[in-house]
Amino acid sequence: MSEIYQQFAEVYRRGSYPEFSKWVFNLLPSLLEKYALPRSGKLLDLACGEGTFLEGMLLNGWQVTGLDQSSNMLRFAEARLKNTGKSFRLIQDDMRNLSFENEFDLVTCWFDSLNYLLELADLENTFRRVFRALKPTGGFLFDMNTLYGLFVRWQQHPVYISQETDDLLEIHIPSCDYEKSEASLRIILFVRDDQKNQWNRWEEIHTQRAYPMDIIQSALEKAGFQVLARLGNLTEQSPALPSSGRVWFIAQKPA
């Protein structure tokens, strides 16, 4: 995990990826209301990236803390959040090292960031630490790629262009290891440097593990959470199915 989102951080910020965070932010209020979760207070966003989701929450009155391993992502997040004129906290660390206790009303982790935990023990440990970080009745919301998502949807094309502009070309090459329940995405970047009048090439490999939905739910319950919902379509708020490419979990720390 520590070697990704280096050069890709700039491409991520400039591309369409932040639109996912905006979409989730717009849908969040209805979820919090439906499942009677806190609608104000202190938020911890794990794998916060370049800060689009944090910005929305900050402007809507939340006290926000963002955590990410990538120094480049946090640099972009800091610049974005400073423009709000409000106070915030950013932490560079691994989510597996969380050490907060009874501090947050809401913890979120978006865009399949938890799939980067390749060992079940790490996923369980992270859930325990999130549980400890939440206040009683606090909510934990996250999404993960499913088995179908990684082994069917990711593998639809052997190679494809993800983004192409006058100064950027992003190519994705997926692969998978069924025995390990892992899928990898080789990301090749060509970025134009106008000052040097040249193109630079970078490459990152992003590996994720898919966990059966029942295993994820069991790990949450083992940590102490009550699972309120697992959704396959966030817009329609419909239940997750075996053919869902992504699953959205909504969990709560009991009172």
Side-chain angles (χ1 to χ4, degrees):
M1 290 172 61
S2 60
E3 297 180 358
I4 60 176
Y5 292 104
Q6 299 303 315
Q7 301 299 337
F8 185 48
E10 170 65 21
V11 174
Y12 186 104
R13 181 185 68 87
R14 289 165 51 185
S16 60
Y17 297 100
E19 294 302 315
F20 183 92
S21 297
K22 294 178 183 178
W23 174 69
V24 172
F25 167 75
N26 288 330
L27 292 174
L28 185 62
S30 65
L31 292 171
L32 298 181
E33 181 177 5
K34 179 176 181 178
Y35 294 101
L37 294 171
R39 284 179 277 175
S40 63
K42 299 180 69 174
L43 163 75
L44 171 62
D45 187 32
L46 303 177
C48 65
E50 43 70 61
T52 295
F53 177 74
L54 281 176
E55 178 186 37
M57 297 296 279
L58 185 59
L59 290 172
N60 274 265
W62 285 81
Q63 300 174 55
V64 304
T65 297
L67 181 143
D68 204 288
Q69 282 200 130
S70 169
S71 59
N72 287 341
M73 282 293 206
L74 289 175
R75 177 165 53 87
F76 296 136
E78 182 177 19
R80 177 182 291 276
L81 297 181
K82 277 185 176 179
N83 287 333
T84 67
K86 299 179 180 293
S87 61
F88 58 89
R89 176 171 53 170
L90 295 175
I91 301 169
Q92 184 178 4
D93 204 353
D94 189 317
M95 67 178 76
R96 293 171 291 189
N97 297 331
L98 281 179
S99 58
F100 300 105
E101 291 194 22
N102 297 315
E103 183 168 343
F104 298 98
D105 300 282
L106 194 67
V107 176
T108 55
C109 188
W110 305 124
F111 223 158
D112 48 81
S113 297
L114 286 164
N115 286 101
Y116 286 97
L117 300 179
L118 304 183
E119 300 293 336
L120 178 59
D122 285 335
L123 187 67
E124 292 175 336
N125 170 58
T126 300
F127 286 170
R128 287 193 299 270
R129 290 174 179 269
V130 170
F131 185 86
R132 191 161 61 238
L134 281 166
K135 299 175 184 177
T137 73
F140 180 31
L141 290 82
F142 63 91
D143 66 283
M144 294 182 73
N145 280 322
T146 63
L147 291 162
Y148 186 86
L150 288 186
F151 298 134
V152 178
R153 293 192 178 179
W154 266 34
Q155 312 304 323
Q156 285 181 331
H157 305 287
V159 59
Y160 60 94
I161 295 174
S162 178
Q163 293 191 78
E164 183 177 13
T165 67
D166 291 340
D167 57 3
L168 167 68
L169 178 64
E170 179 183 348
I171 300 171
H172 289 185
I173 304 175
S175 61
C176 60
D177 185 329
Y178 292 106
E179 291 186 1
K180 292 183 177 180
S181 295
E182 293 179 4
S184 294
L185 198 62
R186 181 183 173 196
I187 301 176
I188 302 173
L189 306 170
F190 295 92
V191 181
R192 181 176 176 81
D193 185 333
D194 290 329
Q195 292 184 340
K196 295 182 179 180
N197 193 29
Q198 67 181 29
W199 286 79
N200 296 318
R201 181 188 186 279
W202 291 291
E203 184 173 326
E204 291 186 3
I205 296 178
H206 291 236
T207 300
Q208 296 191 358
R209 178 177 173 181
Y211 295 91
M213 297 181 209
D214 287 344
I215 295 296
I216 300 170
Q217 179 159 339
S218 176
L220 284 167
E221 292 171 344
K222 185 178 178 181
F225 284 104
Q226 178 185 1
V227 176
L228 305 180
R230 59 187 203 191
L231 307 176
N233 186 306
L234 196 62
T235 302
E236 299 176 0
Q237 298 185 21
S238 55
L241 303 172
S243 59
S244 298
R246 187 180 299 273
V247 58
W248 305 81
F249 273 90
I250 301 173
Q252 185 175 37
K253 181 175 182 176

